[in-house]
Amino acid sequence: MEKKNQNKEGFIPKHGGYRNLITYQKSEIIYDATIYFTGRAFKKYDRTIDQMVQAARSGKQNIVEASMASGTSKEMEIKLTNVARASLEELRIDYEDFLRSNKYEIWGKEHRFTQRFRELNRTPNATYETYKKALEHEQLEICANSMICLINIVSYLLAQQIKSLEKAFLEKVGCGTE
């Protein structure tokens, strides 16, 4: 009688773990803050609300999908991670449009509030509460610029994640294992 394979985990490598990714954690904050912001900044039936919320959701959900796909396809993981980054870029532009159309300042990299936001971002295990004062500020200009700061941070981290995934993918392909 043949001995059956006793490997209960199967042949697909472990995958998931997206909740441990800083990019996921911060994209969840972006999603929650976008819902809060759009509820304050736009009239109830403004189509912009749906567009911004969907872009924020897409950023977050594509990180989840990428993580879940990682067990079977590194190429799909890379593509979905890039879709997450593209969705957040779309959202960043929406925040810039809001600022510009309302004649608010768009903070540059050297703006003192941008610098302060970067300091805040160094807080270990940051949550929505960490950023709440900025994201729910009474001045929409501060809220929108803070969102841009956070989106820029996540976009940078996703770019680094993609580079790392590409490198690992190319190393595997070079060995003929993918």
Side-chain angles (χ1 to χ4, degrees):
M1 185 172 210
E2 272 182 49
K3 191 173 184 180
K4 298 221 178 201
N5 185 355
Q6 298 297 320
N7 182 0
K8 292 182 183 179
E9 291 187 30
F11 63 89
I12 297 173
K14 281 191 169 192
H15 57 283
Y18 56 88
R19 290 187 189 276
N20 297 321
L21 295 171
I22 293 172
T23 50
Y24 174 79
Q25 294 164 4
K26 290 189 186 300
S27 70
E28 190 172 61
I29 294 167
I30 290 168
Y31 175 74
D32 293 346
T34 296
I35 290 173
Y36 183 82
F37 178 85
T38 57
R40 288 178 56 205
F42 301 103
K43 292 187 175 120
K44 189 174 182 178
Y45 297 105
D46 191 325
R47 185 165 151 69
T48 307
I49 295 171
D50 291 337
Q51 294 292 327
M52 290 179 74
V53 169
Q54 284 306 315
R57 182 183 184 281
S58 178
K60 179 175 73 72
Q61 294 303 107
N62 277 290
I63 293 169
V64 172
E65 288 185 54
S67 180
M68 296 307 294
S70 70
T72 54
S73 175
K74 294 298 178 188
E75 184 178 358
M76 184 61 70
E77 181 182 18
I78 294 166
K79 286 179 182 178
L80 289 168
T81 303
N82 198 49
V83 171
R85 187 168 179 238
S87 294
L88 292 176
E89 177 68 12
E90 176 186 341
L91 182 61
R92 184 179 65 80
I93 297 302
D94 284 335
Y95 279 106
E96 287 180 2
D97 289 346
F98 170 82
L99 290 166
R100 192 181 59 259
S101 65
N102 286 287
K103 300 190 182 347
Y104 291 133
E105 177 184 8
I106 298 174
W107 303 341
K109 289 180 181 181
E110 302 307 317
H111 192 283
R112 66 185 177 98
F113 289 157
T114 301
Q115 297 297 323
R116 173 65 185 119
F117 198 90
R118 286 184 182 154
E119 290 171 18
L120 186 63
N121 187 59
R122 291 187 192 107
T123 305
N125 304 311
T127 65
Y128 189 93
E129 288 300 312
T130 307
Y131 304 102
K132 186 175 180 173
K133 188 175 178 182
L135 301 178
E136 294 186 6
H137 198 277
E138 65 182 34
Q139 294 178 31
L140 290 174
E141 177 181 3
I142 291 175
C143 299
N145 272 296
S146 295
M147 287 300 296
I148 291 170
C149 289
L150 190 55
I151 291 166
N152 285 340
I153 289 163
V154 175
S155 185
Y156 171 80
L157 292 172
L158 285 170
Q160 297 308 304
Q161 195 172 326
I162 290 165
K163 281 182 188 177
S164 176
L165 291 169
E166 287 174 339
K167 183 180 178 196
F169 177 77
L170 291 174
E171 287 171 2
K172 272 193 169 185
V173 169
C175 296
T177 58
E178 176 84 8

